[in-house]
Amino acid sequence: MIWPNHSTCIYQSYLLYVNSNILSYREIIEEYSNAIRKVATELFQSFSLIMRMDKESLLGLHKQLVQAYRVNYYPPCSKPDQVLGVSPHSDTSTITILMQEDDVCGLQIKHNNEWVPVNPIPDALVVNVGDVFEIWSNGKYKSVEHRAVANYNKARISYASFLFPHDEVEIEPLSHMVDSKTKQQLYKKVRYGEYLRSSMNEKNGGQSTYPDG
Ligand SMILES: O=C(O)CCC(=O)C(=O)O
Ligand SMILES: [Fe+2]
């Protein structure tokens, strides 16, 4: 059935940003990005300690902490059970920080082979573990498979911030996350830029919107 492609709205949003003399729009995006960076920095520091590393280790592994931002718009849909807002995928980022609306559901994660809604908690952000985290942790922390569904009478907007390493960084399981007995390393070493390109081709037939899978 015909249903507006949500990525159109991302594109429009981007054009608005680059062409805009509306200073407040730029300022809001910049302020939001800076705030998200602070949250991400604190998260990486805590995750480093949880993973028995120095506080700054995960940040250091990124060489440069790259950040991208996407706005997803899901218009109301007369047949929500026949369409998907966003098809099932995992994010190719290290983590994704998602702000969703307080009163509209849409995000679902795959858990025990079932789709489970991630219902919004007012004023809370959702943090998804992405592919890079899964690789560094040798599969201990899984990159969550997720999708977004449409609603019959309500539009929904979500704001996704992707945090990921510089293209040149080689990613592979951290040695201390590999079982010392089995020594089984579940992922091969790969340059992040290469990983990104090949997963775009594999996961979405090359149609993916950078940097998400
Ligand atoms: O809209 C959502 O809740 C999910 C969006 C998403 O998965 C993405 O942008 O990668
Ligand atoms: Fe996603």
Side-chain angles (χ1 to χ4, degrees):
M1 69 178 290
I2 298 170
W3 189 59
N5 181 345
H6 80 285
S7 59
T8 314
C9 304
I10 302 159
Y11 179 62
Q12 284 167 352
S13 169
Y14 177 68
L15 283 185
L16 185 65
Y17 179 74
V18 289
N19 294 333
S20 178
N21 288 324
I22 310 170
L23 198 59
S24 62
Y25 185 78
R26 281 172 176 253
E27 280 170 353
I28 289 166
I29 297 284
E30 274 163 24
E31 203 177 322
Y32 182 70
S33 301
N34 290 339
I36 284 291
R37 200 173 186 86
K38 276 194 194 145
V39 174
T41 300
E42 283 187 30
L43 284 171
F44 283 128
Q45 289 172 334
S46 299
F47 287 140
S48 297
L49 297 176
I50 291 167
M51 291 164 82
R52 292 176 288 114
M53 298 187 288
D54 292 340
K55 198 172 168 188
E56 305 301 327
S57 296
L58 281 172
L59 285 167
L61 283 168
H62 285 82
K63 295 236 159 70
Q64 181 194 340
L65 182 61
V66 188
Q67 194 172 339
Y69 171 69
R70 177 161 74 198
V71 181
N72 299 296
Y73 174 64
Y74 310 97
C77 173
S78 58
K79 295 192 175 154
D81 47 336
Q82 289 182 25
V83 300
L84 275 176
V86 171
S87 310
H89 66 281
S90 64
D91 293 343
T92 46
S93 52
T94 312
I95 57 169
T96 303
I97 301 180
L98 189 87
M99 180 168 71
Q100 48 177 347
E101 289 180 282
D102 286 349
D103 56 349
V104 195
C105 300
L107 176 63
Q108 299 183 338
I109 56 164
K110 192 83 165 278
H111 182 63
N112 291 339
N113 245 5
E114 286 189 15
W115 287 108
V116 180
V118 180
N119 293 329
I121 299 171
D123 300 330
L125 297 166
V126 175
V127 180
N128 282 347
V129 166
D131 297 352
V132 177
F133 218 124
E134 177 168 332
I135 294 171
W136 277 338
S137 70
N138 200 31
K140 185 169 167 107
Y141 302 110
K142 297 271 183 272
S143 178
V144 67
E145 187 180 357
H146 56 285
R147 67 179 189 179
V149 295
N151 284 284
Y152 180 70
N153 55 1
K154 280 187 175 170
R156 174 171 177 266
I157 302 179
S158 69
Y159 308 82
S161 299
F162 304 94
L163 289 303
F164 50 97
H166 187 273
D167 257 18
E168 295 303 324
V169 171
E170 294 196 312
I171 49 171
E172 65 180 329
L174 300 172
S175 53
H176 76 284
M177 298 301 290
V178 177
D179 189 301
S180 54
K181 283 188 196 128
T182 62
K183 300 214 178 348
Q184 199 185 8
Q185 186 168 323
L186 298 177
Y187 310 86
K188 283 191 194 142
K189 188 195 280 192
V190 63
R191 210 173 52 80
Y192 181 65
E194 206 178 294
Y195 177 78
L196 197 57
R197 267 176 290 282
S198 65
S199 33
M200 277 180 189
N201 291 336
E202 259 174 46
K203 291 182 186 178
N204 287 337
Q207 297 300 307
S208 177
T209 314
Y210 182 86
D212 179 26

